[in-house]
Amino acid sequence: KHLADGRIVWADSIALGGTGAAKGVETIVRRIIGSVLPAGDEDIFSGLPRERDDLYEKYLIAKRRSFTARSYAEARAAADALENVIGQRPDFALAYPPLVRLYNIDFGYTALGSTGQAERDKAFELAKAGLAADRGHVHSYTVLGFCYLWRGELDLACRCFDEALALNPYNHVRFQEVATGMMFMGDLAEARRMMDRARELNPIPSEHLYEDLGRLDLLEGNYGGARAMFRLIMRGSIWADLYMAVAELGLGLEEGKRRLHAWQSRVEASWHSGASPGAAGLLDWIRFHHPLPSRIAEPLLSIIKPALMPTAA
């Protein structure tokens, strides 16, 4: 329940049948940890005041803004606020992951193309400092795992992902993160297993879940399944819109070409420099944020490239 007014945040019913007491308790605990705590975390976010002096609340507000920023200025302000929290308390481990995320992904994709090697290097150092501040913080492991992934250090990425799941085997968000890591490393079978586990732990579907499932279908070459997943998304992210276009192009639908050109216009309008990156620049940007092995990346790029660069087809 919401602490202030008693409003219900999350509720579910569970059929235990003849599973026995021990199995029943495990099922109940798994549902509570996997669903109630993430829902409670979101509830805390939605009820935050706009400004407070308390360091922890400053962190919560900055974290929320890092995810809700609609412009580079808002994302930059969130990054500065998180940097300020870390400056005051370098051992405040919670503040590192949202800051690392901003540097790794174009400030929450508000300034497209702004993340380069310098930003990735800074994110890597922040991720290491965050984990050093608290070795028990599960999210720090997945964040560092992605930093290793960007650097091509796949063994270390896997170790971080394994540690995260060992520390908390009931958090569906961590399973989705690790599943994405497995996709980027080319282990689609393991990614599917992780996504199945995430769905089992999370009875409330979300845009992120549909996007992750759709991406996996896309990488597996199941364009029809991918399109079905993306059609469940009400507000597409910058990548979900691209994936939908690729799925439709893979199915031979003319709509895919129109959607890809609309996506291209959307990206160019938010490009960090104000100048068009051009089709070749867009392809490089897609590769930069999708460190896929060539055997998986090339089939997708072979669909995108002719639509973006007709003369190169």
Side-chain angles (χ1 to χ4, degrees):
K1 289 187 176 183
H2 186 280
L3 294 181
D5 58 18
R7 172 170 51 88
I8 297 295
V9 175
W10 177 90
D12 195 14
S13 59
I14 303 171
L16 297 178
T19 58
K23 181 64 177 177
V25 168
E26 193 275 340
T27 301
I28 292 169
V29 170
R30 173 167 52 79
R31 286 292 188 93
I32 291 172
I33 295 175
S35 299
V36 175
L37 293 185
D41 184 58
E42 181 64 29
D43 188 54
I44 290 171
F45 262 39
S46 66
L48 281 173
R50 290 197 62 82
E51 301 289 349
R52 288 295 289 271
D53 293 330
D54 178 80
L55 188 67
Y56 186 75
E57 289 187 353
K58 282 184 177 180
Y59 146 72
L60 286 175
I61 292 167
K63 179 183 175 182
R64 178 182 62 188
R65 289 176 176 170
S66 75
F67 281 96
T68 60
R70 298 295 182 191
S71 67
Y72 171 70
E74 292 178 4
R76 180 71 259 180
D80 291 343
L82 290 165
E83 296 265 22
N84 181 262
V85 169
I86 291 170
Q88 292 182 59
R89 282 275 307 278
D91 62 341
F92 198 106
L94 297 176
Y96 288 90
L99 182 58
V100 171
R101 171 184 172 272
L102 289 174
Y103 283 120
N104 265 337
I105 59 168
D106 295 346
F107 286 86
Y109 297 118
T110 60
L112 304 185
S114 61
T115 289
Q117 195 54 53
E119 287 75 19
R120 287 273 168 90
D121 289 344
K122 181 169 186 176
F124 179 55
E125 295 303 322
L126 285 167
K128 289 193 296 181
L131 183 57
D134 183 0
R135 284 280 181 175
H137 187 215
V138 179
H139 195 194
S140 292
Y141 283 97
T142 55
V143 166
L144 181 58
F146 272 96
C147 289
Y148 279 126
L149 181 57
W150 302 131
R151 298 166 72 85
E153 300 182 63
L154 303 189
D155 289 345
L156 290 171
C158 283
R159 289 190 64 175
C160 287
F161 293 148
D162 289 344
E163 192 66 32
L165 297 184
L167 285 171
N168 189 343
Y170 298 113
N171 189 317
H172 67 87
V173 177
R174 301 290 87 84
F175 271 95
Q176 283 182 238
E177 289 173 345
V178 175
T180 299
M182 294 297 106
M183 292 181 214
F184 288 161
M185 285 189 274
D187 191 344
L188 302 186
E190 183 65 5
R192 178 64 67 184
R193 189 182 75 81
M194 295 290 176
M195 286 305 305
D196 288 344
R197 180 60 170 158
R199 295 182 78 177
E200 179 187 354
L201 289 169
N202 179 19
I204 307 171
S206 68
E207 309 288 77
H208 295 304
L209 178 66
Y210 292 139
E211 180 172 330
D212 287 346
L213 287 168
R215 185 199 300 111
L216 182 53
D217 281 332
L218 198 67
L219 297 179
E220 291 173 335
N222 179 8
Y223 301 127
R227 185 170 186 258
M229 280 295 170
F230 297 133
R231 292 181 73 180
L232 296 173
I233 296 175
M234 298 298 105
R235 180 180 294 174
S237 70
I238 198 71
W239 295 123
D241 288 350
L242 172 64
Y243 301 153
M244 174 63 104
V246 174
E248 290 175 340
L249 287 167
L251 292 168
L253 301 176
E254 188 64 25
E255 185 179 352
K257 189 175 295 185
R258 293 193 296 270
R259 194 184 299 275
L260 183 64
H261 290 154
W263 175 84
Q264 182 177 4
S265 297
R266 176 184 174 189
V267 172
E268 290 176 340
S270 298
W271 200 252
H272 71 107
S273 66
S276 170
L282 282 179
L283 288 170
D284 288 342
W285 181 65
I286 292 169
R287 290 189 186 98
F288 185 69
H289 286 284
H290 292 77
L292 294 161
S294 59
R295 63 183 171 81
I296 295 176
E298 289 311 313
L300 297 180
L301 293 174
S302 69
I303 293 173
I304 299 170
K305 188 173 181 180
L308 283 179
M309 308 170 68
T311 57

